[in-house]
Amino acid sequence: MVGPIEKLPEEVLALIFRDLPLRDRAVAARVCKAWAAAVTSSAVWHDTSISCDCELEDLLPPYLSTCLDHIHNLRLEYEPSKKPSRRVAAELLTALASRTPRLRGLCLECHGEKPLFDAGLDILSAVHAVCGAAHQLHHLDLRRLPYTLDDTLVLQAARDCPELRSLFLDNHALVDSVQPNSVLKLLEACPHLRALGLHLASLSRAALELLAAPHRTPFALLALRCACPEDARAPLLPDEAWEALKSRHPGLEVELELEPALPNEAVTRVLQPAVPVTVLRLNLSGDTVGPVRFAARHYAETLRALEVRASASTELHTALEELAARCAGLKEIHCFCVVRPSVLDAFRAHCPRLRSYTLKLKREPHPWRPTLVR
């Protein structure tokens, strides 16, 4: 007797199976021929997330090797301190590259601490292999890889992935080894690029001028991270270059992240009035009040999200209240220190578009969860 589940058409089964983790998909493939056909269809694998920490054994059974051809967007998680997890991640990427994939998007997420002096050569080698094979790659996100990224990877992307729409290299490595000339070659080779994430030291005036050229595809997002010694020494990018870029791409959004390694004089140089900053993350070891006040004065029209990690003080509270009064378009404010009630009242009163905030009036156990505005 055939049960109701066996009568479901393949399209409906595919909708169910695409939300299953890898292990359960493997089980479903062994139930019957109809399930095997559904679970290996392209609809199930088009957008795939794999956690190498949770799904370690027999990750590449024969059915999965076939399914690799159907993956268009892959989010791959692994833990570098666990050898089985990173081995599986490297093997999966290598297997994906060996099949000349139809891959359009790749996002790698590293969880946990990486071992000391770990350069991630196994993972980076596999990423190189994917870039060399996936010539139709549109999106590459390496922000959550803790390894030093270098010119070799950028130049390979320029050579083998001309259809790139977004590339994020603004990771948490302690050293920036991507030179401005490599970024310039990438921009020349990838005319459709719309979003780019870099360490500040990798950006140059020539890159801004190329992005502002009349023939460029509309450019939407520039994410800049300032966290290493090279970023602190990066030369000032002229206001006229930023003005030209804003004029060419009126909808341009700039995300700016400032980390503790930046001395106060470098912070002053990085914060420029001409930059259309929409997201500002301040995690500084020195003065934070000054940058908050600068943002209130110069980014009032563009700022949509602010994150502050600093010690509580009367001066900081006053600066936050000033920012709330000026930045009516703000959608998110996250302050990871206890604030006085008037700070919360100011954002509620002056920011009608606010949709999420972390403004705690007393100490709470971490992690602090944001409050959603309904």
Side-chain angles (χ1 to χ4, degrees):
M1 183 176 179
V2 178
I5 192 68
E6 284 83 1
K7 295 180 180 179
L8 290 176
E10 182 176 312
E11 294 81 3
V12 176
L13 289 172
L15 290 175
I16 297 171
F17 294 151
R18 72 181 183 183
D19 293 325
L20 295 180
L22 203 62
R23 180 70 49 209
D24 293 341
R25 292 184 190 181
V27 173
R30 295 193 288 268
V31 171
C32 63
K33 290 183 179 180
W35 281 32
V39 82
T40 55
S41 67
S42 60
V44 173
W45 295 90
H46 190 280
D47 300 306
T48 296
S49 295
I50 297 176
S51 172
C52 296
D53 194 37
C54 301
E55 304 169 296
L56 296 177
E57 299 177 5
D58 303 322
L59 187 64
L60 294 175
Y63 92 93
L64 179 55
S65 297
T66 301
C67 294
L68 293 179
D69 293 337
H70 299 311
I71 296 179
H72 280 220
N73 300 296
L74 174 64
R75 184 172 65 86
L76 185 63
E77 301 176 5
Y78 80 100
E79 191 162 343
S81 61
K82 296 183 178 180
K83 290 184 178 180
S85 179
R86 66 185 297 157
R87 174 181 56 78
V88 168
E91 288 179 356
L92 179 58
L93 290 171
T94 302
L96 195 63
S98 69
R99 304 185 68 86
T100 312
R102 302 174 184 174
L103 200 64
R104 297 295 184 273
L106 175 61
C107 175
L108 296 184
E109 296 194 8
C110 177
H111 297 288
E113 296 294 327
K114 75 178 182 71
L116 196 62
F117 305 120
D118 174 22
L121 297 180
D122 51 345
I123 299 296
L124 292 177
S125 176
V127 172
H128 277 275
V130 171
C131 289
H135 301 301
Q136 296 300 312
L137 193 67
H138 285 183
H139 308 286
L140 180 59
D141 188 344
L142 305 179
R143 283 175 288 191
R144 292 173 181 84
L145 279 189
Y147 313 119
T148 299
L149 307 175
D150 59 17
D151 293 326
T152 307
L153 178 62
V154 176
L155 293 175
Q156 181 172 28
R159 182 179 65 251
D160 296 326
C161 307
E163 298 300 320
L164 273 177
R165 268 61 170 176
S166 69
L167 175 63
F168 292 99
L169 305 173
D170 48 324
N171 66 349
H172 285 251
L174 298 177
V175 178
D176 176 30
S177 292
V178 176
Q179 299 301 312
N181 283 342
S182 297
V183 174
L184 202 57
K185 292 179 180 178
L186 174 81
L187 295 175
E188 291 170 346
C190 303
H192 307 295
L193 200 68
R194 294 176 50 86
L196 181 62
L198 297 170
H199 281 258
L200 180 63
S202 300
L203 191 63
S204 64
R205 176 175 184 165
L208 294 181
E209 291 173 346
L210 181 55
L211 287 172
H215 66 276
R216 293 292 303 192
T217 295
F219 194 70
L221 174 63
L222 182 60
L224 297 175
R225 189 164 186 270
C226 310
C228 58
E230 293 85 357
D231 297 324
R233 297 191 297 266
L236 182 70
L237 297 172
D239 286 345
E240 56 267 26
W242 285 110
E243 293 293 351
L245 186 62
K246 288 191 298 182
S247 176
R248 173 65 181 83
H249 307 288
L252 174 66
E253 298 182 357
V254 175
E255 297 183 1
L256 193 56
E257 184 174 1
L258 309 184
E259 290 291 316
L262 285 187
N264 287 341
E265 59 271 18
V267 173
T268 304
R269 191 173 69 253
V270 169
L271 293 174
Q272 297 177 241
V275 182
V277 174
T278 55
V279 178
L280 180 61
R281 300 183 183 94
L282 300 174
N283 183 21
L284 300 169
S285 57
D287 174 45
T288 301
V289 174
V292 171
R293 285 182 170 152
F294 184 95
R297 290 193 300 270
H298 298 289
Y299 302 147
E301 297 297 322
T302 59
L303 195 65
R304 297 295 176 263
L306 174 68
E307 180 180 305
V308 177
R309 296 180 183 271
S311 299
S313 68
T314 301
E315 293 79 9
L316 179 60
H317 294 164
T318 302
L320 288 170
E321 290 168 6
E322 177 187 345
L323 183 135
R326 290 173 176 260
C327 300
L330 202 69
K331 295 181 179 179
E332 296 185 36
I333 170 67
H334 304 287
C335 186
F336 293 92
C337 66
V338 176
V339 300
R340 64 193 183 194
S342 58
V343 173
L344 177 57
D345 293 340
F347 282 102
R348 284 175 168 172
H350 298 298
C351 303
R353 299 181 185 177
L354 198 65
R355 65 188 184 195
S356 175
Y357 63 84
T358 306
L359 296 167
K360 304 297 183 181
L361 304 182
K362 61 181 180 179
R363 292 191 178 278
E364 296 181 7
H366 286 277
W368 287 3
R369 303 296 183 189
T371 299
L372 302 181
V373 180
R374 302 186 184 279

Coordinates of all heavy atoms in Angstrom, one line a residue, residues 18-67:
R18 N 15.3 20.3 0.7 CA 16.3 21.3 0.6 C 16.6 22.0 2.0 O 17.6 22.6 2.2 CB 15.9 22.4 -0.4 CG 14.8 23.3 0.0 CD 14.4 24.3 -1.1 NE 13.4 25.2 -0.7 CZ 12.9 26.1 -1.5 NH1 13.3 26.2 -2.7 NH2 11.9 26.9 -1.1
D19 N 15.6 21.8 2.9 CA 15.8 22.3 4.3 C 16.5 21.3 5.2 O 16.7 21.6 6.4 CB 14.5 22.8 4.9 CG 13.9 24.0 4.1 OD1 14.7 24.8 3.7 OD2 12.7 24.1 4.0
L20 N 16.8 20.1 4.7 CA 17.4 19.1 5.6 C 18.9 19.3 5.6 O 19.5 19.7 4.7 CB 17.1 17.7 5.1 CG 15.6 17.3 5.1 CD1 15.5 15.8 4.5 CD2 15.0 17.3 6.5
P21 N 19.5 18.9 6.8 CA 21.0 18.9 6.8 C 21.5 17.8 5.9 O 20.8 16.9 5.5 CB 21.3 18.7 8.3 CG 20.1 18.1 8.9 CD 18.9 18.6 8.1
L22 N 22.8 17.9 5.7 CA 23.4 16.9 4.7 C 23.2 15.5 5.1 O 22.9 14.6 4.3 CB 24.9 17.2 4.7 CG 25.7 16.8 3.4 CD1 25.2 17.5 2.2 CD2 27.2 17.1 3.6
R23 N 23.4 15.2 6.4 CA 23.2 13.8 6.9 C 21.8 13.3 6.6 O 21.7 12.1 6.2 CB 23.5 13.8 8.4 CG 23.4 12.4 9.1 CD 24.5 11.5 8.7 NE 25.8 12.2 8.8 CZ 26.8 11.9 8.0 NH1 26.7 11.0 7.1 NH2 28.0 12.5 8.2
D24 N 20.8 14.1 6.8 CA 19.4 13.6 6.6 C 19.1 13.5 5.1 O 18.3 12.6 4.7 CB 18.4 14.6 7.3 CG 18.5 14.6 8.8 OD1 19.1 13.6 9.3 OD2 18.1 15.5 9.4
R25 N 19.8 14.3 4.3 CA 19.6 14.1 2.9 C 20.1 12.8 2.4 O 19.5 12.1 1.5 CB 20.3 15.2 2.1 CG 19.7 16.6 2.3 CD 20.4 17.6 1.4 NE 20.0 19.0 1.7 CZ 20.5 20.1 1.1 NH1 21.4 19.9 0.1 NH2 20.1 21.3 1.5
A26 N 21.2 12.4 3.0 CA 21.8 11.1 2.7 C 20.9 9.9 3.0 O 20.7 8.9 2.3 CB 23.2 10.9 3.3
V27 N 20.2 10.1 4.2 CA 19.3 9.0 4.6 C 18.1 9.0 3.7 O 17.6 7.9 3.3 CB 18.8 9.3 6.1 CG1 17.7 8.4 6.5 CG2 20.0 9.2 7.1
A28 N 17.6 10.2 3.3 CA 16.4 10.2 2.4 C 16.7 9.6 1.1 O 15.8 9.0 0.5 CB 16.0 11.7 2.2
A29 N 17.9 9.7 0.6 CA 18.3 9.2 -0.7 C 18.2 7.7 -0.7 O 18.1 7.1 -1.8 CB 19.7 9.7 -1.1
R30 N 18.3 7.0 0.4 CA 18.3 5.6 0.5 C 16.9 5.0 0.8 O 16.7 3.8 0.9 CB 19.2 5.1 1.6 CG 20.7 5.4 1.3 CD 21.6 4.7 2.2 NE 21.6 5.2 3.6 CZ 22.4 6.2 4.0 NH1 23.3 6.7 3.2 NH2 22.3 6.6 5.3
V31 N 15.8 5.8 0.9 CA 14.5 5.4 1.2 C 13.9 4.7 0.0 O 13.4 3.5 0.1 CB 13.6 6.5 1.7 CG1 12.2 6.1 1.8 CG2 14.1 7.0 3.0
C32 N 13.8 5.3 -1.2 CA 13.2 4.7 -2.4 C 13.7 5.5 -3.6 O 14.4 6.6 -3.4 CB 11.7 4.8 -2.3 SG 11.0 6.4 -2.2
K33 N 13.4 5.0 -4.8 CA 13.9 5.7 -6.0 C 13.3 7.1 -6.1 O 14.0 8.0 -6.6 CB 13.5 4.8 -7.2 CG 14.3 3.5 -7.3 CD 13.9 2.8 -8.6 CE 14.8 1.5 -8.7 NZ 14.4 0.7 -9.9
A34 N 12.0 7.3 -5.8 CA 11.4 8.6 -5.9 C 12.1 9.6 -5.0 O 12.4 10.7 -5.4 CB 9.9 8.5 -5.6
W35 N 12.4 9.2 -3.8 CA 13.1 10.1 -2.9 C 14.5 10.4 -3.3 O 15.0 11.5 -3.2 CB 13.1 9.5 -1.4 CG 11.8 9.7 -0.7 CD1 10.5 9.7 -1.3 CD2 11.6 9.9 0.7 NE1 9.6 9.9 -0.3 CE2 10.2 10.0 0.9 CE3 12.5 9.9 1.7 CZ2 9.7 10.2 2.2 CZ3 11.9 10.1 3.0 CH2 10.6 10.2 3.2
A36 N 15.2 9.3 -3.8 CA 16.5 9.5 -4.3 C 16.6 10.5 -5.5 O 17.5 11.4 -5.5 CB 17.1 8.2 -4.7
A37 N 15.6 10.4 -6.4 CA 15.5 11.4 -7.5 C 15.3 12.8 -7.0 O 15.9 13.7 -7.5 CB 14.4 10.9 -8.5
A38 N 14.4 12.9 -6.0 CA 14.0 14.2 -5.5 C 15.2 14.9 -4.7 O 15.5 16.1 -4.9 CB 12.8 14.2 -4.6
V39 N 15.9 14.1 -3.9 CA 16.9 14.6 -3.0 C 18.2 15.0 -3.8 O 19.0 15.7 -3.3 CB 17.2 13.7 -1.9 CG1 18.2 12.6 -2.3 CG2 17.8 14.4 -0.7
T40 N 18.3 14.4 -5.0 CA 19.5 14.7 -5.8 C 19.2 15.7 -6.9 O 20.0 16.0 -7.8 CB 20.1 13.5 -6.5 OG1 19.1 12.8 -7.2 CG2 20.6 12.5 -5.4
S41 N 18.0 16.3 -6.9 CA 17.6 17.3 -7.9 C 18.3 18.6 -7.7 O 18.7 19.0 -6.6 CB 16.1 17.5 -8.0 OG 15.6 18.1 -6.8
S42 N 18.4 19.4 -8.7 CA 19.1 20.7 -8.6 C 18.3 21.7 -7.7 O 19.0 22.5 -7.0 CB 19.2 21.4 -10.0 OG 17.9 21.6 -10.6
A43 N 17.0 21.5 -7.5 CA 16.3 22.4 -6.6 C 16.7 22.3 -5.2 O 16.6 23.2 -4.4 CB 14.8 22.1 -6.8
V44 N 17.1 21.1 -4.8 CA 17.6 20.8 -3.4 C 18.9 21.4 -3.2 O 19.2 22.0 -2.1 CB 17.6 19.3 -3.1 CG1 18.2 19.0 -1.8 CG2 16.1 18.8 -3.2
W45 N 19.8 21.4 -4.2 CA 21.2 21.8 -4.0 C 21.6 23.1 -4.5 O 22.7 23.6 -4.3 CB 22.1 20.7 -4.7 CG 21.9 19.4 -4.0 CD1 21.0 18.4 -4.3 CD2 22.6 18.9 -2.9 NE1 21.1 17.4 -3.5 CE2 22.1 17.6 -2.6 CE3 23.7 19.4 -2.1 CZ2 22.6 16.8 -1.6 CZ3 24.2 18.6 -1.1 CH2 23.7 17.3 -0.8
H46 N 20.7 23.9 -5.1 CA 21.0 25.2 -5.6 C 21.6 26.1 -4.6 O 22.7 26.7 -4.8 CB 19.7 25.8 -6.2 CG 20.0 27.1 -7.0 ND1 20.2 28.3 -6.4 CD2 20.1 27.3 -8.4 CE1 20.4 29.2 -7.4 NE2 20.4 28.6 -8.5
D47 N 21.0 26.2 -3.4 CA 21.6 27.0 -2.3 C 21.8 26.0 -1.1 O 20.9 25.5 -0.6 CB 20.6 28.1 -1.8 CG 20.3 29.1 -2.9 OD1 21.3 29.6 -3.5 OD2 19.2 29.3 -3.2
T48 N 23.1 25.7 -0.8 CA 23.4 24.7 0.1 C 24.3 25.2 1.2 O 25.3 26.0 1.0 CB 24.2 23.5 -0.6 OG1 23.3 22.9 -1.5 CG2 24.6 22.5 0.4
S49 N 24.0 24.9 2.5 CA 24.8 25.2 3.6 C 25.3 23.9 4.2 O 24.5 23.0 4.5 CB 24.1 26.0 4.7 OG 23.7 27.2 4.2
I50 N 26.6 23.8 4.5 CA 27.2 22.6 5.0 C 28.1 23.0 6.2 O 28.9 23.9 6.1 CB 28.1 21.8 4.0 CG1 27.2 21.4 2.8 CG2 28.8 20.7 4.6 CD1 28.0 20.7 1.7
S51 N 27.9 22.3 7.3 CA 28.7 22.4 8.5 C 29.6 21.2 8.6 O 29.2 20.1 8.9 CB 27.9 22.6 9.8 OG 28.7 22.5 10.9
C52 N 30.9 21.4 8.4 CA 31.9 20.3 8.4 C 32.1 19.8 9.9 O 32.7 18.8 10.1 CB 33.2 20.7 7.8 SG 33.0 21.1 6.1
D53 N 31.7 20.6 10.8 CA 31.9 20.2 12.2 C 30.8 19.2 12.6 O 31.0 18.4 13.5 CB 31.8 21.4 13.1 CG 32.3 21.1 14.5 OD1 33.3 20.3 14.6 OD2 31.8 21.6 15.5
C54 N 29.6 19.3 12.0 CA 28.5 18.4 12.4 C 28.3 17.2 11.5 O 27.7 16.3 11.9 CB 27.2 19.2 12.4 SG 27.2 20.7 13.5
E55 N 28.8 17.3 10.3 CA 28.6 16.3 9.3 C 29.9 15.8 8.8 O 30.3 16.2 7.7 CB 27.7 16.8 8.2 CG 26.4 17.5 8.7 CD 25.7 18.2 7.7 OE1 26.2 19.3 7.2 OE2 24.6 17.8 7.3
L56 N 30.6 15.0 9.5 CA 32.0 14.6 9.2 C 32.1 13.3 8.5 O 32.9 13.2 7.5 CB 32.8 14.5 10.5 CG 32.9 15.9 11.3 CD1 33.7 15.6 12.6 CD2 33.6 16.9 10.5
E57 N 31.4 12.3 8.8 CA 31.7 11.0 8.3 C 31.0 10.8 6.9 O 29.9 11.2 6.7 CB 31.2 9.9 9.3 CG 31.9 10.0 10.6 CD 31.3 8.9 11.6 OE1 30.5 8.1 11.1 OE2 31.7 8.9 12.8
D58 N 31.8 10.2 6.0 CA 31.2 9.8 4.7 C 30.6 11.0 4.0 O 29.5 11.0 3.5 CB 30.2 8.7 4.8 CG 30.8 7.5 5.5 OD1 32.0 7.2 5.2 OD2 30.1 6.8 6.2
L59 N 31.3 12.2 4.1 CA 30.7 13.4 3.6 C 30.5 13.3 2.0 O 29.6 14.0 1.5 CB 31.6 14.6 3.9 CG 31.0 16.0 3.5 CD1 29.8 16.2 4.4 CD2 32.0 17.0 3.8
L60 N 31.3 12.5 1.4 CA 31.2 12.5 -0.1 C 30.8 11.1 -0.6 O 31.6 10.5 -1.3 CB 32.6 12.9 -0.7 CG 33.0 14.4 -0.4 CD1 34.4 14.6 -1.0 CD2 32.0 15.3 -1.0
P61 N 29.6 10.7 -0.2 CA 29.2 9.4 -0.8 C 28.9 9.6 -2.3 O 28.8 10.8 -2.8 CB 27.8 9.2 -0.1 CG 27.4 10.5 0.4 CD 28.6 11.3 0.6
P62 N 28.7 8.6 -3.1 CA 28.5 8.7 -4.5 C 27.4 9.7 -4.9 O 27.6 10.5 -5.8 CB 28.2 7.3 -5.0 CG 28.9 6.4 -4.0 CD 28.8 7.2 -2.7
Y63 N 26.3 9.7 -4.2 CA 25.2 10.6 -4.6 C 25.6 12.0 -4.4 O 25.2 12.9 -5.2 CB 23.9 10.2 -3.8 CG 23.8 11.0 -2.5 CD1 23.1 12.2 -2.5 CD2 24.4 10.6 -1.3 CE1 22.9 12.9 -1.3 CE2 24.2 11.3 -0.2 CZ 23.5 12.4 -0.2 OH 23.4 13.2 1.0
L64 N 26.4 12.3 -3.4 CA 26.8 13.7 -3.1 C 27.7 14.2 -4.2 O 27.7 15.3 -4.6 CB 27.4 13.8 -1.7 CG 27.9 15.2 -1.3 CD1 26.8 16.3 -1.5 CD2 28.4 15.2 0.1
S65 N 28.6 13.3 -4.6 CA 29.6 13.7 -5.7 C 28.8 14.2 -6.9 O 29.2 15.1 -7.6 CB 30.5 12.5 -6.1 OG 31.3 12.2 -4.9
T66 N 27.7 13.5 -7.2 CA 26.9 13.9 -8.3 C 26.2 15.3 -8.1 O 26.1 16.1 -8.9 CB 25.8 12.8 -8.6 OG1 26.5 11.6 -8.9 CG2 24.9 13.3 -9.8
C67 N 25.7 15.4 -6.8 CA 25.0 16.6 -6.4 C 25.9 17.9 -6.5 O 25.3 19.0 -6.5 CB 24.4 16.5 -5.1 SG 23.1 15.2 -5.0

